[in-house]
Amino acid sequence: MRTQSGSPDRTTTLGAPDAVSRFVEGDPEAVRAVRRLILDVLRTHSKELKPYWDDLVLEVCAQAWQRARKGSEEIRNLEGLVVRITHARVVDLHRLRSRWRMEDGAVDHLASTANPNPGPYEDVLRAETSHIVSAMIAAADERTRVIWRLLYFEGLKYREAAARLGLPEGTLKRLVHESLRAAAARFAGLRTEGGKK
């Protein structure tokens, strides 16, 4: 894989015998090479996470550094280690999570992965998302909560949810659209208020 002209070849940097020790010691060239590699993997395999790439690069880089610091004597291929961590902790985990429904034991699925700890960034993101979702659900009226539960927690299709509620499918879609717009407006208002404090 080519890098920008004038910059060292990443494979040479990460393939050098002292790459692990230089990375652990914080050598800027080694750290840049690791970050470029992580970003390359994300660009190739995880385009749907593009808004989070910067944060994920930092998180995976930190995880790779911790792993390299603990086992620097055992690591022979820093490039392979970084690619494996990026796939296991971001790409593969995201693909698995996107297939799980909340009622199908997502916690059990996550616990069954090789390293169930999602990392500090994921912990913060999960807590923040959970708080926001709880606030949005609490602020919605009872009918909206029922609709969201059927569609997003029970996984029903629009026609199935509409039949259960005794509504035309088009009406249900309109109600969902309106409820999501109202929730987004409430969320924007909360963020504005939070920024003023």
Side-chain angles (χ1 to χ4, degrees):
M1 191 174 283
R2 298 280 178 196
T3 57
Q4 295 176 345
S5 59
S7 65
D9 182 10
R10 184 192 70 229
T11 55
T12 304
T13 304
L14 298 183
D18 64 340
V20 176
S21 61
R22 287 189 304 110
F23 176 56
V24 170
E25 291 165 7
D27 175 65
E29 184 181 317
V31 172
R32 274 195 302 273
V34 167
R35 287 182 177 175
R36 279 195 306 269
L37 175 58
I38 296 166
L39 189 57
D40 285 348
V41 173
L42 293 175
R43 281 184 180 136
T44 306
H45 299 284
S46 197
K47 292 188 184 340
E48 63 275 11
L49 290 174
K50 186 174 183 177
Y52 308 105
W53 280 354
D54 292 339
D55 293 330
L56 292 171
V57 166
L58 293 175
E59 180 184 340
V60 174
C61 191
Q63 291 169 5
W65 181 83
Q66 289 172 352
R67 174 68 181 85
R69 187 177 58 125
K70 288 179 186 172
S72 58
E73 300 299 320
E74 308 160 11
I75 298 168
R76 298 285 173 253
N77 183 345
L78 182 59
E79 185 173 16
L81 171 70
V82 170
V83 170
R84 281 196 312 275
I85 290 175
T86 306
H87 273 281
R89 301 302 293 276
V90 179
V91 178
D92 296 341
L93 196 55
H94 175 72
R95 286 177 181 162
L96 283 172
R97 285 180 179 170
S98 67
R99 294 186 200 124
W100 302 335
R101 294 186 194 275
M102 293 184 72
E103 72 274 11
D104 288 339
V107 174
D108 295 335
H109 288 294
L110 182 59
S112 70
T113 59
N115 188 350
N117 177 13
Y121 172 74
E122 278 291 325
D123 285 341
V124 170
L125 186 62
R126 184 187 299 154
E128 182 181 353
T129 302
S130 176
H131 176 71
I132 291 169
V133 169
S134 296
M136 289 298 145
I137 291 172
D141 60 70
E142 181 61 29
R143 180 179 68 175
T144 299
R145 285 197 293 270
V146 170
I147 291 171
W148 287 354
R149 180 176 51 79
L150 293 174
L151 293 173
Y152 303 121
F153 292 92
E154 294 184 22
L156 297 182
K157 295 180 179 170
Y158 277 102
R159 71 173 179 279
E160 295 168 334
R164 191 179 290 188
L165 295 169
L167 296 170
E169 188 175 343
T171 301
L172 178 63
K173 287 181 179 179
R174 179 182 54 79
L175 291 172
V176 169
H177 177 73
E178 289 172 357
S179 69
L180 293 177
R181 284 186 62 173
R186 278 195 302 272
F187 175 62
L190 288 173
R191 289 186 65 185
T192 305
E193 289 172 15
K196 290 178 182 175
K197 291 180 182 178

